[in-house]
Amino acid sequence: MRRGLNIFLWSAFGILISIGAYAALNACDLGIRPLFGSSACQVPEAKAALETERAREVQLQSRIHAAEIHFALLPACPKPVPLPQPQPQPLPVKVPDPKLPVANPAPVQTLEVPKKIEDLKGCWQSAHGDIDMASDDAERKPLGQARICFCFRSNGRGQVQVRFTDGDTCRADLFARILPGQLFMHHERASCRRHPFYVAADIRCGNSQSEQTECEIQNLGEIRDKITEQFKHVSDEYCGWNG
């Protein structure tokens, strides 16, 4: 009885060992049939996936090569045509305004420091003639052209008159006095109807190194700029002065 039990246990143990060996051989792709040469090894799945990716790579390279040939056969783009450069416009020619007399009938006479105040009688204008005006602020907005006349009576008093080409006129009181070797003039702020006011100014005239009488105009407005001028005698009619 005991001998039969031993035989049974050893038989069960042998069967278990055989089953384990068979499972191990199958896990390593070494089954019964490969051991006896009746079966060949199968291709792993990883190798099949690699071959698939290589085939896709060949297809992509073929498409890239076809696209390169297509772009190479496209026509070249024409060079851009440069835009024409704007031609400079000729400067406008100033046409005399009919509202202002175009000529000065008085003989040309430059201002000199007078010995007597009555020698200053009459009207005087900048040697540059009519002047382009601008506003008395940082913007310096153009206001048009104007004729500025300093007109005196025989007592050294008179008016400064600013006549714009549009007919607007600005006036302010003016006086002068003679100092040693110098002529001093001052005018108040000139009020206008349409244009901004013309700022007050101090004017000092004296002989320069070239023996010509030059006048320094110190404007008393916001900008307070200083200008050097020479003056010439003009007729009363030219300035519209009836003093």
Side-chain angles (χ1 to χ4, degrees):
M1 181 72 179
R2 185 175 181 180
R3 183 180 178 182
L5 180 60
N6 289 335
I7 294 172
F8 173 77
L9 292 176
W10 280 107
S11 298
F13 178 75
I15 293 172
L16 292 175
I17 291 297
S18 300
I19 293 172
Y22 181 80
L25 290 173
N26 282 336
C28 296
D29 197 20
L30 297 173
I32 298 287
R33 289 180 295 175
L35 288 176
F36 293 95
S38 61
S39 176
C41 294
Q42 298 180 356
V43 178
E45 294 183 0
K47 185 175 181 181
L50 178 61
E51 293 298 329
T52 302
E53 293 299 324
R54 286 177 177 174
R56 290 180 59 189
E57 179 184 2
V58 172
Q59 291 179 357
L60 289 175
Q61 289 179 348
S62 177
R63 292 173 62 185
I64 292 174
H65 183 61
E68 291 176 344
I69 294 175
H70 173 71
F71 285 120
L73 295 177
L74 289 176
C77 295
K79 294 183 179 179
V81 179
L83 296 176
Q85 297 295 325
Q87 298 297 322
Q89 297 295 326
L91 296 175
V93 178
K94 289 186 177 181
V95 179
D97 195 291
K99 293 185 177 67
L100 296 177
V102 296
N104 172 32
V108 177
Q109 176 188 352
T110 57
L111 175 67
E112 297 179 355
V113 177
K115 296 180 180 179
K116 299 180 295 183
I117 197 66
E118 52 264 30
D119 294 337
L120 196 59
K121 182 181 178 180
C123 293
W124 305 87
Q125 183 195 27
S126 166
H128 294 96
D130 299 341
I131 296 175
D132 293 325
M133 304 293 288
S135 59
D136 180 49
D137 52 26
E139 186 179 358
R140 305 298 287 174
K141 180 180 178 182
L143 301 177
Q145 196 174 64
R147 178 169 298 168
I148 305 174
C149 294
F150 301 86
C151 299
F152 293 93
R153 304 182 188 91
S154 58
N155 61 355
R157 295 186 175 275
Q159 279 189 339
V160 58
Q161 296 190 146
V162 183
R163 300 177 64 196
F164 286 89
T165 54
D166 61 3
D168 193 14
T169 303
C170 318
R171 294 184 177 87
D173 292 335
L174 172 70
F175 74 88
R177 66 173 179 265
I178 300 175
L179 303 175
Q182 190 179 73
L183 172 66
F184 174 79
M185 296 181 284
H186 172 82
H187 67 78
E188 299 296 332
R189 187 175 77 172
S191 299
C192 312
R193 289 174 295 175
R194 294 188 296 274
H195 291 84
F197 60 84
Y198 181 59
V199 299
D202 289 336
I203 305 170
R204 298 180 183 273
C205 303
N207 292 334
S208 63
Q209 294 180 353
S210 60
E211 298 301 323
Q212 292 181 337
T213 301
E214 292 183 347
C215 298
E216 184 180 82
I217 303 175
Q218 174 64 68
N219 290 320
L220 304 178
E222 179 181 342
I223 301 299
R224 301 188 70 84
D225 50 359
K226 188 178 292 185
I227 304 170
T228 300
E229 283 278 14
Q230 286 184 315
F231 289 94
K232 63 181 178 180
H233 186 262
V234 291
S235 68
D236 295 352
E237 294 80 12
Y238 180 77
C239 291
W241 168 249
N242 55 3

